[in-house]
Amino acid sequence: MSEKSRFTVSPSWLEERLETPGLSIVDASWYLPAHGRDGRAEHEAGRIPGAVFFDQDAVVHPETNLPHALPDAATFQRHVSAMGISEDDTIVVYDGPGLFSAPRVWWMFRVMGAKNVLLLDGGLDGWRAEGRPLTDKPVQTAPAVFNAKLDEERVASLEAMLQLVEDATAQIADARPAGRFTGAEPEPRAGMRSGHMPGARNVPASALSRDGRLLPPDELRALFEGAGVDLSRPVVTSCGSGVTAAVISLALETVGHSDHRLYDGSWSEWGGRADTPVETGEA
């Protein structure tokens, strides 16, 4: 395990256990167009031995037009069982740069009932830089059943967010970059208004890690404090489409804060509507 978090593991930890029964390795790489990277293509070209690809554009709710919408339990169970993963496995999730898109899948497995889900510090880029083994050979997955049960208390709906904004019963931590949060920069998706939900605090996901590795707990606490997030109160995490909000969720868990939910629709839902209140400028 990592010295910084009970939810992250080092490359050496993982390499030593590659052949361990009950270990499932999941490549959750997903990128914005600006990154100029293709997660599936990189996976097929060279991945950690045994890793299966988790397509975040495919494992979604079948009845929504929102990007990355959390699937229902039956849909998640069907996809993940086909990957050969059980809820009792030790599941290690990674992405390319480390702690960008992988925390979203870490969060998804957890809210669907997986018992032991971990993240690879440094991601595939760090793994490759250290000269650790890669393969392009097809993965032979054994049949498995993932018994999914969605923990709805960990997910915030639009209705819940509208009420929260009105009565301020919980804090909103927004993982988008500062320019998008303040409205100084446009959203990458067409039709989105700029700005943030009233009362939200900006905690950019990129600030929570260094070189693809999660910051130590003391630095995370200082960062939350500097952003105006009171760790003694409930928090709802949000971002552009529900992906990097999970980086904040990971950081909260790491500092011992468990009273948090993730707003799955995030700004794609809130900023894409004409009837939701929006503020611009610094919080």
Side-chain angles (χ1 to χ4, degrees):
M1 300 286 177
S2 165
E3 294 180 356
K4 300 185 294 297
S5 170
R6 60 192 174 97
F7 303 110
T8 61
V9 297
S10 68
S12 59
W13 185 97
L14 180 57
E15 185 176 1
E16 290 169 2
R17 294 164 174 78
L18 286 179
E19 303 297 327
T20 303
L23 173 70
S24 288
I25 305 173
V26 179
D27 182 349
S29 298
W30 173 85
Y31 301 102
L32 291 165
H35 289 130
R37 298 179 67 167
D38 185 321
R40 183 178 288 278
E42 291 185 16
H43 175 81
E44 293 174 353
R47 57 189 169 273
I48 296 174
V52 295
F53 188 72
F54 190 109
D55 189 340
Q56 298 200 51
D57 290 320
V59 189
V60 297
H61 200 288
E63 299 176 1
T64 181
N65 58 358
L66 292 172
H68 310 124
L70 184 69
D72 58 276
T75 299
F76 187 87
Q77 178 167 316
R78 175 169 52 84
H79 280 280
V80 175
S81 295
M83 297 176 195
I85 302 172
S86 161
E87 75 274 12
D88 294 319
D89 288 350
T90 295
I91 303 168
V92 178
V93 188
Y94 71 88
D95 59 30
L99 302 187
F100 174 68
S101 59
R104 166 69 181 193
V105 174
W106 168 87
W107 175 81
M108 290 175 73
F109 272 109
R110 284 164 55 85
V111 299
M112 289 293 180
K115 301 172 178 61
N116 188 25
V117 194
L118 306 164
L119 288 153
L120 177 63
D121 256 342
L124 183 64
D125 294 351
W127 180 277
R128 181 183 287 114
E130 294 177 6
R132 299 185 185 276
L134 294 169
T135 184
D136 60 0
K137 295 180 180 179
V139 177
Q140 301 298 321
T141 57
V145 175
F146 188 104
N147 295 295
K149 183 178 180 181
L150 173 60
D151 184 354
E152 296 183 358
E153 293 185 358
R154 309 300 285 182
V155 188
S157 65
L158 173 64
E159 292 72 24
M161 296 307 295
L162 288 167
Q163 186 63 43
L164 187 157
V165 165
E166 181 177 338
D167 59 25
T169 52
Q171 303 162 99
I172 304 168
D174 190 323
R176 291 175 300 152
R180 290 168 59 189
F181 178 85
T182 63
E185 298 175 4
E187 286 296 304
R189 294 177 177 85
M192 296 290 114
R193 291 177 293 165
S194 297
H196 57 266
M197 288 174 272
R201 299 292 181 174
N202 192 205
V203 185
S206 61
L208 299 170
S209 64
R210 185 181 300 117
D211 298 325
R213 292 169 170 80
L214 188 67
L215 295 178
D218 58 341
E219 293 187 39
L220 292 174
R221 291 189 189 94
L223 193 149
F224 281 122
E225 181 179 344
V229 176
D230 182 351
L231 293 174
S232 69
R233 297 181 57 217
V235 177
V236 176
T237 66
S238 181
C239 61
S241 64
V243 174
T244 58
V247 183
I248 303 181
S249 302
L250 168 66
L252 288 169
E253 287 285 337
T254 298
V255 300
H257 186 290
S258 60
D259 190 2
H260 59 86
R261 293 176 288 164
L262 188 148
Y263 174 27
D264 195 51
S266 283
W267 197 253
S268 292
E269 182 172 50
W270 191 276
R273 299 173 64 98
D275 59 349
T276 48
V278 170
E279 293 182 347
T280 57
E282 300 288 343

